[in-house]
Amino acid sequence: MVVLCPDSRCCYCSYQCNYRRQENDKINWDNVELHQRLPVPPSNKGSLYTNTAEELSVHIDKVSDDRYTAYLSECIAKGFTVDADKGTSDYSAYDAEGYFLSLSHIGERLSISLEAPMAINSISWPASALGQQVPAPKSNMGKFNYEYENHFSVYIGDTSKAAFDQYVTDCAAAGFHANYDKGDTYYR
């Protein structure tokens, strides 16, 4: 998925968070909206930040390295293996249905984030002056966050790695290359 947030100065990707912190001494996993998608965490002590059908953000306390490793193995067994990225104290991956899991283990705190797949539909590329400056992607499947005359934010789906790489090349050729930051999965 490609995230585009062009304005009159640049083309970049962004992620916005809106956490609603709910501290709990004990977390009842059965009350977590997305609980069936994940294994039960190794402890019920922690803080629940976001608990919706679209997103889960929770910190679990009193999780040793061994318990984190075991939980990670359970998540992998549950299918979170697509586009996996494993570090020494973190892991992220999608499952086959498009749910995105992110784990981070620092000290004795395990942070769990789970995001439901975004619903995308057929879109029309903006006809505004800015829409004409930014190259239209090959895919017309996506979702607009917002669209104004001088800036818009859109997620583009159905985009292979090769198509993304070509789109980055197209954006740079269109002049969106000043002070850019490029990685394997982003261009801003």
Side-chain angles (χ1 to χ4, degrees), residues 3-48:
V3 181
L4 299 176
C5 307
D7 65 22
S8 59
R9 293 165 287 147
C10 64
C11 179
Y12 61 94
C13 299
S14 68
Y15 176 77
Q16 297 178 349
C17 300
N18 185 15
Y19 292 118
R20 296 172 299 280
R21 185 174 181 152
Q22 299 173 354
E23 288 197 34
N24 296 312
D25 288 334
K26 291 186 178 180
I27 297 171
N28 181 345
W29 196 246
D30 290 334
N31 292 337
V32 171
E33 292 281 335
L34 294 168
H35 76 274
Q36 293 178 334
R37 304 221 60 93
L38 294 172
V40 176
S43 167
N44 66 353
K45 302 230 184 321
S47 300
L48 185 60

Short mmCIF file of all heavy atoms in Angstrom, two decimals, residues 3-48:
data_model
loop_
_atom_site.label_atom_id
_atom_site.label_comp_id
_atom_site.label_asym_id
_atom_site.label_seq_id
_atom_site.Cartn_x
_atom_site.Cartn_y
_atom_site.Cartn_z
N VAL A 3 1.10 5.40 0.59
CA VAL A 3 0.43 6.51 1.24
C VAL A 3 0.97 7.78 0.61
O VAL A 3 2.17 8.02 0.63
CB VAL A 3 0.71 6.55 2.76
CG1 VAL A 3 -0.03 7.71 3.38
CG2 VAL A 3 0.33 5.25 3.40
N LEU A 4 0.10 8.60 0.04
CA LEU A 4 0.52 9.85 -0.56
C LEU A 4 -0.14 11.00 0.18
O LEU A 4 -1.34 10.98 0.42
CB LEU A 4 0.09 9.91 -2.03
CG LEU A 4 0.66 8.84 -2.93
CD1 LEU A 4 0.07 8.98 -4.31
CD2 LEU A 4 2.16 8.95 -2.98
N CYS A 5 0.65 11.99 0.53
CA CYS A 5 0.14 13.18 1.19
C CYS A 5 0.76 14.39 0.51
O CYS A 5 1.58 15.08 1.11
CB CYS A 5 0.49 13.17 2.67
SG CYS A 5 -0.02 11.68 3.53
N PRO A 6 0.45 14.65 -0.74
CA PRO A 6 1.09 15.77 -1.41
C PRO A 6 0.49 17.10 -0.98
O PRO A 6 -0.69 17.21 -0.73
CB PRO A 6 0.85 15.50 -2.89
CG PRO A 6 -0.28 14.56 -2.95
CD PRO A 6 -0.37 13.85 -1.64
N ASP A 7 1.34 18.09 -0.89
CA ASP A 7 0.90 19.46 -0.76
C ASP A 7 1.68 20.27 -1.78
O ASP A 7 2.36 19.72 -2.63
CB ASP A 7 1.03 19.99 0.67
CG ASP A 7 2.46 20.09 1.17
OD1 ASP A 7 3.39 20.17 0.34
OD2 ASP A 7 2.64 20.12 2.39
N SER A 8 1.58 21.57 -1.72
CA SER A 8 2.19 22.39 -2.76
C SER A 8 3.72 22.38 -2.72
O SER A 8 4.35 22.86 -3.63
CB SER A 8 1.68 23.82 -2.65
OG SER A 8 1.98 24.33 -1.37
N ARG A 9 4.34 21.79 -1.69
CA ARG A 9 5.79 21.80 -1.57
C ARG A 9 6.44 20.44 -1.78
O ARG A 9 7.56 20.35 -2.22
CB ARG A 9 6.21 22.32 -0.19
CG ARG A 9 5.87 23.78 0.03
CD ARG A 9 5.94 24.13 1.49
NE ARG A 9 4.76 23.51 2.10
CZ ARG A 9 4.72 23.03 3.32
NH1 ARG A 9 5.75 23.07 4.09
NH2 ARG A 9 3.63 22.48 3.78
N CYS A 10 5.76 19.36 -1.43
CA CYS A 10 6.44 18.07 -1.49
C CYS A 10 5.44 16.93 -1.54
O CYS A 10 4.25 17.12 -1.39
CB CYS A 10 7.36 17.91 -0.28
SG CYS A 10 6.47 17.88 1.30
N CYS A 11 5.97 15.75 -1.73
CA CYS A 11 5.20 14.53 -1.69
C CYS A 11 5.78 13.70 -0.56
O CYS A 11 6.98 13.44 -0.55
CB CYS A 11 5.31 13.78 -3.02
SG CYS A 11 4.40 12.25 -3.07
N TYR A 12 4.99 13.29 0.42
CA TYR A 12 5.53 12.57 1.56
C TYR A 12 4.52 11.60 2.13
O TYR A 12 3.34 11.67 1.81
CB TYR A 12 6.00 13.55 2.65
CG TYR A 12 4.89 14.42 3.21
CD1 TYR A 12 4.22 14.05 4.36
CD2 TYR A 12 4.51 15.60 2.58
CE1 TYR A 12 3.21 14.83 4.87
CE2 TYR A 12 3.51 16.39 3.08
CZ TYR A 12 2.85 16.00 4.23
OH TYR A 12 1.85 16.77 4.73
N CYS A 13 4.99 10.72 2.96
CA CYS A 13 4.12 9.76 3.64
C CYS A 13 4.05 10.14 5.11
O CYS A 13 5.01 10.65 5.66
CB CYS A 13 4.68 8.34 3.53
SG CYS A 13 4.81 7.77 1.84
N SER A 14 2.93 9.86 5.74
CA SER A 14 2.82 10.15 7.16
C SER A 14 1.92 9.13 7.83
O SER A 14 1.15 8.44 7.18
CB SER A 14 2.26 11.56 7.39
OG SER A 14 0.91 11.62 6.98
N TYR A 15 2.04 9.05 9.14
CA TYR A 15 1.22 8.18 9.95
C TYR A 15 0.73 8.99 11.13
O TYR A 15 1.52 9.67 11.79
CB TYR A 15 2.01 6.97 10.44
CG TYR A 15 1.24 6.08 11.37
CD1 TYR A 15 0.27 5.21 10.87
CD2 TYR A 15 1.44 6.12 12.73
CE1 TYR A 15 -0.46 4.40 11.71
CE2 TYR A 15 0.71 5.31 13.58
CZ TYR A 15 -0.24 4.45 13.06
OH TYR A 15 -0.96 3.66 13.90
N GLN A 16 -0.55 9.00 11.38
CA GLN A 16 -1.09 9.76 12.49
C GLN A 16 -1.67 8.80 13.51
O GLN A 16 -2.32 7.82 13.16
CB GLN A 16 -2.20 10.69 12.01
CG GLN A 16 -1.71 11.73 11.05
CD GLN A 16 -2.86 12.60 10.57
OE1 GLN A 16 -4.01 12.31 10.79
NE2 GLN A 16 -2.50 13.68 9.90
N CYS A 17 -1.42 9.08 14.76
CA CYS A 17 -1.92 8.26 15.85
C CYS A 17 -2.94 9.05 16.67
O CYS A 17 -2.79 10.24 16.85
CB CYS A 17 -0.80 7.83 16.79
SG CYS A 17 0.46 6.86 15.99
N ASN A 18 -3.92 8.38 17.17
CA ASN A 18 -4.89 9.01 18.05
C ASN A 18 -5.17 8.02 19.17
O ASN A 18 -6.13 7.27 19.11
CB ASN A 18 -6.16 9.37 17.29
CG ASN A 18 -7.13 10.12 18.16
OD1 ASN A 18 -6.77 10.62 19.22
ND2 ASN A 18 -8.37 10.21 17.71
N TYR A 19 -4.32 8.01 20.17
CA TYR A 19 -4.46 7.07 21.27
C TYR A 19 -5.39 7.61 22.34
O TYR A 19 -5.35 8.78 22.66
CB TYR A 19 -3.11 6.76 21.90
CG TYR A 19 -2.20 5.99 21.00
CD1 TYR A 19 -0.99 6.51 20.58
CD2 TYR A 19 -2.55 4.72 20.56
CE1 TYR A 19 -0.15 5.79 19.75
CE2 TYR A 19 -1.72 4.00 19.72
CZ TYR A 19 -0.53 4.54 19.34
OH TYR A 19 0.29 3.84 18.51
N ARG A 20 -6.20 6.73 22.86
CA ARG A 20 -7.07 7.05 23.98
C ARG A 20 -6.65 6.13 25.11
O ARG A 20 -7.07 4.99 25.18
CB ARG A 20 -8.53 6.84 23.59
CG ARG A 20 -8.97 7.77 22.48
CD ARG A 20 -10.35 7.42 21.96
NE ARG A 20 -10.45 6.09 21.40
CZ ARG A 20 -10.05 5.75 20.19
NH1 ARG A 20 -9.48 6.64 19.42
NH2 ARG A 20 -10.19 4.53 19.76
N ARG A 21 -5.80 6.61 25.99
CA ARG A 21 -5.20 5.77 27.03
C ARG A 21 -6.21 5.38 28.10
O ARG A 21 -6.92 6.21 28.63
CB ARG A 21 -4.03 6.51 27.67
CG ARG A 21 -3.29 5.64 28.65
CD ARG A 21 -2.07 6.32 29.17
NE ARG A 21 -1.41 5.41 30.09
CZ ARG A 21 -0.14 5.41 30.31
NH1 ARG A 21 0.63 6.26 29.70
NH2 ARG A 21 0.39 4.56 31.16
N GLN A 22 -6.23 4.10 28.39
CA GLN A 22 -7.04 3.56 29.46
C GLN A 22 -6.14 2.66 30.30
O GLN A 22 -5.85 1.55 29.90
CB GLN A 22 -8.22 2.75 28.90
CG GLN A 22 -9.15 3.55 28.04
CD GLN A 22 -10.19 2.67 27.36
OE1 GLN A 22 -10.15 1.45 27.45
NE2 GLN A 22 -11.12 3.29 26.68
N GLU A 23 -5.70 3.17 31.42
CA GLU A 23 -4.79 2.38 32.25
C GLU A 23 -5.60 1.37 33.06
O GLU A 23 -6.64 1.68 33.62
CB GLU A 23 -3.99 3.29 33.17
CG GLU A 23 -2.95 4.07 32.42
CD GLU A 23 -1.88 4.65 33.32
OE1 GLU A 23 -1.53 4.00 34.32
OE2 GLU A 23 -1.42 5.73 33.00
N ASN A 24 -5.09 0.19 33.09
CA ASN A 24 -5.72 -0.89 33.85
C ASN A 24 -4.65 -1.63 34.62
O ASN A 24 -3.54 -1.79 34.15
CB ASN A 24 -6.39 -1.90 32.89
CG ASN A 24 -7.52 -1.31 32.11
OD1 ASN A 24 -8.37 -0.65 32.67
ND2 ASN A 24 -7.52 -1.52 30.81
N ASP A 25 -5.00 -2.07 35.80
CA ASP A 25 -4.09 -2.97 36.51
C ASP A 25 -4.15 -4.34 35.86
O ASP A 25 -3.15 -5.00 35.69
CB ASP A 25 -4.46 -3.07 37.99
CG ASP A 25 -4.11 -1.80 38.75
OD1 ASP A 25 -3.20 -1.09 38.29
OD2 ASP A 25 -4.76 -1.56 39.77
N LYS A 26 -5.37 -4.75 35.49
CA LYS A 26 -5.56 -6.04 34.84
C LYS A 26 -6.36 -5.85 33.57
O LYS A 26 -7.34 -5.14 33.54
CB LYS A 26 -6.30 -7.00 35.77
CG LYS A 26 -5.49 -7.43 36.97
CD LYS A 26 -6.22 -8.48 37.76
CE LYS A 26 -5.36 -8.92 38.94
NZ LYS A 26 -6.03 -9.94 39.73
N ILE A 27 -5.89 -6.50 32.52
CA ILE A 27 -6.59 -6.43 31.23
C ILE A 27 -7.30 -7.75 31.00
O ILE A 27 -6.68 -8.82 31.04
CB ILE A 27 -5.58 -6.17 30.09
CG1 ILE A 27 -4.92 -4.80 30.30
CG2 ILE A 27 -6.28 -6.22 28.74
CD1 ILE A 27 -3.76 -4.53 29.37
N ASN A 28 -8.61 -7.67 30.80
CA ASN A 28 -9.40 -8.85 30.49
C ASN A 28 -9.35 -9.03 28.96
O ASN A 28 -9.99 -8.29 28.23
CB ASN A 28 -10.83 -8.68 30.99
CG ASN A 28 -11.68 -9.90 30.71
OD1 ASN A 28 -11.33 -10.77 29.91
ND2 ASN A 28 -12.82 -9.97 31.38
N TRP A 29 -8.57 -10.00 28.49
CA TRP A 29 -8.35 -10.19 27.06
C TRP A 29 -9.65 -10.45 26.31
O TRP A 29 -9.78 -10.09 25.14
CB TRP A 29 -7.33 -11.30 26.84
CG TRP A 29 -6.74 -11.30 25.46
CD1 TRP A 29 -6.90 -12.27 24.51
CD2 TRP A 29 -5.92 -10.30 24.86
NE1 TRP A 29 -6.23 -11.92 23.35
CE2 TRP A 29 -5.61 -10.71 23.56
CE3 TRP A 29 -5.42 -9.07 25.32
CZ2 TRP A 29 -4.83 -9.96 22.68
CZ3 TRP A 29 -4.63 -8.33 24.45
CH2 TRP A 29 -4.35 -8.77 23.16
N ASP A 30 -10.63 -11.06 26.96
CA ASP A 30 -11.92 -11.32 26.30
C ASP A 30 -12.66 -10.03 25.97
O ASP A 30 -13.52 -10.03 25.09
CB ASP A 30 -12.80 -12.21 27.18
CG ASP A 30 -12.29 -13.64 27.26
OD1 ASP A 30 -11.59 -14.07 26.32
OD2 ASP A 30 -12.57 -14.31 28.26
N ASN A 31 -12.34 -8.93 26.64
CA ASN A 31 -12.97 -7.64 26.37
C ASN A 31 -12.26 -6.84 25.29
O ASN A 31 -12.70 -5.75 24.92
CB ASN A 31 -13.06 -6.79 27.65
CG ASN A 31 -14.02 -7.40 28.66
OD1 ASN A 31 -14.92 -8.16 28.31
ND2 ASN A 31 -13.81 -7.08 29.92
N VAL A 32 -11.17 -7.36 24.77
CA VAL A 32 -10.43 -6.70 23.70
C VAL A 32 -11.11 -7.03 22.37
O VAL A 32 -11.34 -8.20 22.06
CB VAL A 32 -8.94 -7.14 23.70
CG1 VAL A 32 -8.22 -6.64 22.47
CG2 VAL A 32 -8.25 -6.66 24.98
N GLU A 33 -11.47 -6.00 21.61
CA GLU A 33 -12.21 -6.18 20.35
C GLU A 33 -11.55 -7.18 19.40
O GLU A 33 -12.22 -8.00 18.80
CB GLU A 33 -12.37 -4.84 19.63
CG GLU A 33 -13.25 -3.85 20.34
CD GLU A 33 -14.72 -4.12 20.14
OE1 GLU A 33 -15.10 -4.73 19.12
OE2 GLU A 33 -15.50 -3.70 21.00
N LEU A 34 -10.23 -7.10 19.25
CA LEU A 34 -9.51 -7.94 18.29
C LEU A 34 -8.86 -9.17 18.95
O LEU A 34 -7.95 -9.76 18.39
CB LEU A 34 -8.44 -7.10 17.57
CG LEU A 34 -8.99 -6.00 16.67
CD1 LEU A 34 -7.88 -5.05 16.24
CD2 LEU A 34 -9.68 -6.59 15.46
N HIS A 35 -9.34 -9.56 20.11
CA HIS A 35 -8.68 -10.63 20.87
C HIS A 35 -8.59 -11.96 20.12
O HIS A 35 -7.64 -12.71 20.33
CB HIS A 35 -9.35 -10.83 22.24
CG HIS A 35 -10.65 -11.56 22.20
ND1 HIS A 35 -11.85 -10.92 21.98
CD2 HIS A 35 -10.94 -12.88 22.35
CE1 HIS A 35 -12.82 -11.81 22.00
NE2 HIS A 35 -12.30 -13.00 22.21
N GLN A 36 -9.54 -12.25 19.25
CA GLN A 36 -9.51 -13.53 18.55
C GLN A 36 -8.42 -13.60 17.48
O GLN A 36 -8.07 -14.68 17.04
CB GLN A 36 -10.88 -13.82 17.93
CG GLN A 36 -11.95 -14.05 18.98
CD GLN A 36 -13.30 -14.29 18.37
OE1 GLN A 36 -13.59 -13.85 17.27
NE2 GLN A 36 -14.14 -15.01 19.11
N ARG A 37 -7.86 -12.47 17.10
CA ARG A 37 -6.83 -12.45 16.06
C ARG A 37 -5.44 -12.72 16.62
O ARG A 37 -4.51 -12.98 15.86
CB ARG A 37 -6.84 -11.10 15.35
CG ARG A 37 -8.22 -10.78 14.79
CD ARG A 37 -8.18 -10.16 13.46
NE ARG A 37 -7.56 -10.94 12.42
CZ ARG A 37 -8.18 -11.77 11.59
NH1 ARG A 37 -9.45 -11.98 11.72
NH2 ARG A 37 -7.52 -12.39 10.64
N LEU A 38 -5.29 -12.62 17.96
CA LEU A 38 -3.97 -12.76 18.59
C LEU A 38 -4.01 -13.78 19.71
O LEU A 38 -5.05 -14.00 20.33
CB LEU A 38 -3.52 -11.41 19.18
CG LEU A 38 -3.24 -10.28 18.21
CD1 LEU A 38 -3.01 -8.99 18.97
CD2 LEU A 38 -2.03 -10.62 17.36
N PRO A 39 -2.84 -14.35 20.03
CA PRO A 39 -2.78 -15.19 21.22
C PRO A 39 -2.97 -14.35 22.48
O PRO A 39 -2.73 -13.14 22.47
CB PRO A 39 -1.36 -15.77 21.19
CG PRO A 39 -0.72 -15.31 19.93
CD PRO A 39 -1.58 -14.26 19.32
N VAL A 40 -3.39 -14.98 23.56
CA VAL A 40 -3.50 -14.30 24.84
C VAL A 40 -2.10 -13.89 25.29
O VAL A 40 -1.18 -14.71 25.27
CB VAL A 40 -4.16 -15.21 25.90
CG1 VAL A 40 -4.18 -14.53 27.27
CG2 VAL A 40 -5.56 -15.61 25.47
N PRO A 41 -1.90 -12.62 25.65
CA PRO A 41 -0.56 -12.17 26.06
C PRO A 41 -0.08 -12.91 27.31
O PRO A 41 -0.88 -13.45 28.07
CB PRO A 41 -0.75 -10.68 26.35
CG PRO A 41 -1.99 -10.30 25.63
CD PRO A 41 -2.85 -11.52 25.61
N PRO A 42 1.23 -12.88 27.56
CA PRO A 42 1.80 -13.63 28.67
C PRO A 42 1.51 -13.04 30.05
O PRO A 42 1.89 -13.63 31.06
CB PRO A 42 3.31 -13.61 28.38
CG PRO A 42 3.52 -12.48 27.44
CD PRO A 42 2.24 -12.30 26.69
N SER A 43 0.87 -11.90 30.10
CA SER A 43 0.51 -11.28 31.38
C SER A 43 -0.78 -10.50 31.16
O SER A 43 -1.08 -10.08 30.05
CB SER A 43 1.63 -10.34 31.85
OG SER A 43 1.20 -9.50 32.90
N ASN A 44 -1.56 -10.30 32.22
CA ASN A 44 -2.77 -9.49 32.09
C ASN A 44 -2.59 -8.12 32.75
O ASN A 44 -3.53 -7.36 32.88
CB ASN A 44 -3.98 -10.21 32.69
CG ASN A 44 -3.88 -10.41 34.18
OD1 ASN A 44 -2.85 -10.12 34.80
ND2 ASN A 44 -4.94 -10.92 34.78
N LYS A 45 -1.38 -7.78 33.12
CA LYS A 45 -1.08 -6.48 33.73
C LYS A 45 -0.58 -5.52 32.65
O LYS A 45 0.26 -5.89 31.84
CB LYS A 45 -0.03 -6.63 34.80
CG LYS A 45 -0.41 -7.62 35.89
CD LYS A 45 -0.21 -7.03 37.25
CE LYS A 45 -0.48 -7.95 38.40
NZ LYS A 45 -1.56 -8.83 38.33
N GLY A 46 -1.12 -4.30 32.63
CA GLY A 46 -0.66 -3.34 31.64
C GLY A 46 -1.63 -2.22 31.42
O GLY A 46 -2.47 -1.92 32.28
N SER A 47 -1.53 -1.57 30.26
CA SER A 47 -2.36 -0.44 29.90
C SER A 47 -2.93 -0.63 28.50
O SER A 47 -2.19 -0.93 27.58
CB SER A 47 -1.54 0.86 29.93
OG SER A 47 -1.02 1.09 31.21
N LEU A 48 -4.22 -0.43 28.39
CA LEU A 48 -4.92 -0.52 27.11
C LEU A 48 -5.10 0.89 26.58
O LEU A 48 -5.71 1.73 27.23
CB LEU A 48 -6.27 -1.20 27.32
CG LEU A 48 -7.11 -1.51 26.10
CD1 LEU A 48 -6.38 -2.45 25.16
CD2 LEU A 48 -8.42 -2.12 26.54
#
